[in-house]
Amino acid sequence: MRSSASLSDLPFAAEIGEAVSALNAVRSGWRARQASRRSVTRFPVPAELARAIEHLSAALFPARLGGFRGGTAREDDFVADRLGQALGLLREQIAHELDYWQAEAATPFDPDQPDAITRLFAATLAEIRELVDADVDAAFQGDPAARSADEILVSYPGALAILHHRIAHQLHTLGAVIVARVISELANARTGIDIHPGATIGPSFFIDHGTGVVIGETAIIGRGVRLYQHVTLGARSPLGLAPAGPRTHHARHPIVEDDVTIYAGATILGRVTIGRGSVIGGNVWLLDDVPPESVVVQPEAIRLGPADRDALSERLAEHGA
């Protein structure tokens, strides 16, 4: 950190000094408006959680995501090393989160609570690996362009997003909700797939292409579900605008039963149920339940005749299209 004495040596020294003073005033004003809120001394750091996920991914998939080439006899040592680094980073970030929430708690957290959450999370790693294996298998079976399951794991955005979600969901369930949300947003930043860590997703889940997919906090997705890009499983209205009640607050997002396929651009809002084995077509807007084995589509596009085609071309040209 530079001392104020050396500030004059910097390019744009005058502008930096003015910006520092202005930012100080803004911070002071914000703190004055938050008088009942204690100062935040520690908070989860996304860069540290990204490092933890890198180590966890290597431990879960040593050869494919960890780059391990030492043979099966040394594989457990590699996994142990990566897990040691991952869990140490996670424990620290969980402790930061609990420090943040302590101001909201009626009683102090147990000193070993970060360790307890970390231990409980470590016990779920085998389950996470099995779920991701099933997800990758579903992608391989569902995508004729895939050449191998390995290709899917290392390069498909849907696989990366669901790997992050499987990790984040366990941490969310254990109470590390900010840590979990940061992990989900790391995947969102890389893939454009936004899955809330609270969402419950069954095995053999496949997101094809994936950009623009949104899955809300209370969504429940069954086994063998397939989504395409720009699918939204969302809430019907923001909290505060919808009628108050337990259903509104705690069950805001859709239930998608087993073996459902939802094509690109579909928007499904509210606590509706999409019945088992249904197919939802592209760009469909749904606010109501769908019975099992249904097929829901928009009307097909129409083909314009020559006169209508020319009229449309003229209208587009008039508006600069």
Side-chain angles (χ1 to χ4, degrees):
M1 182 182 297
R2 290 179 179 268
S3 67
S4 57
S6 62
L7 180 61
S8 60
D9 300 332
L10 293 173
F12 309 109
E15 291 78 7
I16 290 172
E18 292 175 2
V20 168
S21 297
L23 288 168
N24 182 287
V26 171
R27 290 196 308 272
S28 298
W30 182 84
R31 287 167 180 159
R33 295 190 299 273
Q34 306 286 328
S36 62
R37 185 177 184 275
R38 72 175 184 133
S39 176
V40 176
T41 57
R42 299 199 300 174
F43 198 77
V45 179
E48 293 298 288
L49 287 168
R51 290 177 57 211
I53 294 301
E54 181 180 355
H55 290 309
L56 276 175
S57 299
L60 289 165
F61 299 95
R64 287 175 286 174
L65 298 183
F68 175 71
R69 299 295 182 267
T72 56
R74 297 176 53 201
E75 193 171 47
D76 283 348
D77 291 338
F78 174 85
V79 171
D81 176 70
R82 288 304 190 101
L83 280 181
Q85 296 181 67
L87 296 178
L89 288 165
L90 269 179
R91 189 265 173 216
E92 181 181 19
Q93 298 308 308
I94 292 167
H96 287 185
E97 175 172 346
L98 293 177
D99 185 60
Y100 173 76
W101 288 124
Q102 185 62 72
E104 309 293 332
T107 58
F109 293 125
D110 292 336
D112 67 344
Q113 190 154 344
D115 300 87
I117 291 174
T118 305
R119 291 191 191 98
L120 290 169
F121 170 75
T124 71
L125 290 170
E127 177 187 351
I128 290 171
R129 166 68 198 241
E130 289 179 341
L131 285 168
V132 176
D133 283 342
D135 299 327
V136 171
D137 287 345
F140 185 58
Q141 294 167 16
D143 185 3
R147 297 294 183 266
S148 71
D150 298 329
E151 174 194 9
I152 290 166
L153 181 63
V154 303
S155 65
Y156 274 40
L160 186 147
I162 193 62
L163 170 60
H164 278 65
H165 175 75
R166 299 296 188 194
I167 293 169
H169 182 68
Q170 295 293 349
L171 290 164
H172 185 275
T173 301
L174 291 168
V177 294
I178 296 177
V179 165
R181 191 58 183 264
V182 171
I183 289 170
S184 71
E185 291 307 316
L186 291 171
N188 187 10
R190 290 181 58 183
T191 67
I193 298 170
D194 184 0
I195 308 175
H196 193 287
T200 301
I201 301 177
S204 301
F205 181 54
F206 177 30
I207 303 175
D208 202 352
H209 305 296
T211 304
V213 165
V214 176
I215 301 173
E217 177 185 14
T218 63
I220 299 174
I221 297 174
R223 174 186 293 271
V225 170
R226 177 174 182 165
L227 308 183
Y228 284 81
Q229 65 271 23
H230 294 287
V231 166
T232 297
L233 304 179
R236 196 163 298 181
S237 61
L239 290 177
L241 298 180
R247 184 179 176 90
T248 301
H249 285 268
H250 301 296
R252 308 186 307 277
H253 302 94
I255 298 170
V256 180
E257 294 185 345
D258 296 350
D259 302 314
V260 168
T261 298
I262 306 176
Y263 282 96
T267 298
I268 304 171
L269 301 179
R271 194 59 157 189
V272 301
T273 297
I274 309 302
R276 180 189 181 100
S278 293
V279 175
I280 309 301
N283 298 317
V284 165
W285 173 279
L286 276 176
L287 300 176
D288 297 301
D289 293 343
V290 172
E293 307 298 334
S294 297
V295 177
V296 181
V297 297
Q298 292 278 41
E300 288 191 14
I302 61 172
R303 183 174 63 85
L304 297 177
D308 291 331
R309 178 195 64 201
D310 294 343
L312 178 60
S313 297
E314 289 178 6
R315 289 184 64 192
L316 292 171
E318 288 173 1
H319 290 85

